[in-house]
Amino acid sequence: MVKWAGGDVTAPAVGEGRRGVVVGGVAVGLAGVVALHGVIPNSPGRVGSLVESFLPWSGVAVVLLFVVALVRRSGVGLVALLLPVGVWVHAFGGLLLPAPGADTGARELVVVQHNVSDENPDPAGTARALLAAGGDLVALEEVVVPALAVYEDILRDDYPHHVVHGTVGLWSKYPIRDEQLVDIRPRAFEDGWSRGLRAVVRTPYGDVAAYVAHLPSVRLGAGGLASSARDESARMLGEIVRGEEVKTVILMGDLNSTVDDRGLHPLTSQLNVAERGFAFSYPAALPLARIDQVLARSADVSHIRTLPATGSDHLPVAARVTLDPLPPSGRLAP
């Protein structure tokens, strides 16, 4: 601090003022990234998608800046931090809210989604863990022989209806009809790559078009994020869902992307995402992002949460999906 001649009035030293400006500048920049991430270019290296994949973690940066501002006693920095705090709360604060209370009158389904891993050493234990979640629908990816027989055997009693195409499967408490393969294979991939299915589930609340998908993996290297195949597959799936004639749609799967990533825009632009819960699912040892998703049309994904770890490198997730109410007549819409 410095003292003015002839009085006791003090003013911040130049160094302290500069430190406050630095903290404030970083805070404003962070707020800009969260609020305007859509304008970050995706070339080169799909940097925009990479930033969007970890947007929720910007809250950690806000906390660190707050600590720095306190340590340096920077009033300017503390005031500037109100901007990224407000932006972050607006973008992600709702996900922190507790799960809504049970509504006995709601038209609700519980959906379990899990990439079980093709290298899972304990498929039987994984199947029993999924049973404990008590879902109405269970969607699995990376289902391979001979583990498939294990899942079928253990899930059979609780889920008498199931369908498997390629390495993805759907188990249901309710009857399934019109099941079919969904072709989301990128053009550069070999024939036989099969990671999508559709089936109509006859729930107590009417027909639901259930999709299970496993989009191509992404890789992070020196050239940035390699996600072109995933993005192509997402576009193909988005077009298929857009043409779906059944009103209510539930999409479950390992989409290898977060809902903030523009790579999933063909899906998130027409489907509702989870309203509450972060449910970071990957990697299981240190979950950093939720790439296992439950999305819906004519329904709300009111809450999503992770389940205990299994033998997979992903955590399972369970979501509560609340279907749109019946029309005033009380009858199901055609």
Side-chain angles (χ1 to χ4, degrees):
M1 305 291 287
V2 296
K3 183 174 290 187
W4 297 102
D8 295 329
V9 179
T10 59
V14 174
E16 293 181 20
R18 288 177 178 173
R19 289 196 294 268
V21 170
V22 170
V23 173
V26 174
V28 172
L30 183 61
V33 169
V34 177
L36 305 173
H37 57 87
V39 303
I40 299 175
N42 222 16
S43 180
R46 283 182 161 76
V47 64
S49 283
L50 182 59
V51 170
E52 290 164 340
S53 296
F54 298 99
L55 270 184
W57 290 101
S58 59
V60 175
V62 173
V63 173
L64 292 176
L65 282 175
F66 177 74
V67 172
V68 171
L70 283 180
V71 170
R72 296 190 171 186
R73 299 180 181 180
S74 170
V76 172
L78 289 171
V79 171
L81 276 169
L82 294 175
L83 181 59
V85 167
V87 171
W88 191 94
V89 169
H90 179 267
F92 303 109
L95 297 175
L96 292 171
L97 296 175
D103 182 352
T104 55
R107 304 170 68 236
E108 186 175 272
L109 297 172
V110 176
V111 174
V112 176
Q113 148 62 28
H114 192 24
N115 179 328
V116 294
S117 175
D118 55 5
E119 299 179 346
N120 192 323
D122 185 19
T126 297
R128 287 190 289 269
L130 297 174
L131 274 177
D136 297 293
L137 303 176
V138 177
L140 304 182
E141 299 81 48
E142 294 197 15
V143 180
V144 294
V145 178
L148 172 58
V150 176
Y151 294 119
E152 290 176 328
D153 181 57
I154 294 177
L155 297 176
R156 180 180 295 114
D157 290 343
D158 287 67
Y159 300 94
H161 313 281
H162 84 282
V163 56
V164 176
H165 279 289
T167 58
V168 299
L170 174 69
W171 275 257
S172 172
K173 289 184 174 181
Y174 310 118
I176 291 174
R177 63 176 178 85
D178 297 344
E179 53 88 5
Q180 63 190 80
L181 168 73
V182 172
D183 184 10
I184 55 173
R185 179 177 63 88
R187 288 167 295 180
F189 283 27
E190 297 180 355
D191 292 341
W193 189 93
S194 178
R195 291 187 178 183
L197 69 80
R198 169 200 180 265
V200 176
V201 181
R202 309 212 66 171
T203 79
Y205 316 113
D207 287 353
V208 172
Y211 286 80
V212 183
H214 184 187
L215 301 189
S217 300
V218 299
R219 296 289 183 268
L220 182 61
L225 189 71
S227 63
S228 57
R230 180 205 64 192
D231 295 349
E232 180 183 354
S233 192
R235 289 192 296 271
M236 296 172 70
L237 182 57
E239 286 301 313
I240 294 168
V241 171
R242 192 176 302 279
E244 175 57 61
E245 295 182 353
V246 176
K247 177 185 176 183
T248 304
V249 173
I250 299 178
L251 168 62
M252 303 151 279
D254 174 2
L255 304 186
N256 270 304
S257 191
T258 69
V259 294
D260 300 302
D261 185 345
R262 68 193 67 182
L264 285 194
H265 185 260
L267 298 169
T268 54
S269 62
Q270 57 177 318
L271 299 173
N272 295 323
V273 304
E275 298 173 352
R276 300 183 184 184
F278 281 100
F280 294 151
S281 64
Y282 184 83
L286 182 63
L288 296 174
R290 186 178 78 240
I291 63 176
D292 296 275
Q293 307 292 356
V294 177
L295 311 177
R297 185 179 78 191
S298 294
D300 293 321
V301 185
S302 56
H303 183 257
I304 191 167
R305 63 187 175 92
T306 54
L307 300 174
T310 67
S312 172
D313 56 344
H314 292 241
L315 294 178
V317 298
R320 289 167 54 183
V321 180
T322 305
L323 282 60
D324 283 354
L326 288 169
S329 65
R331 295 177 301 193
L332 293 173

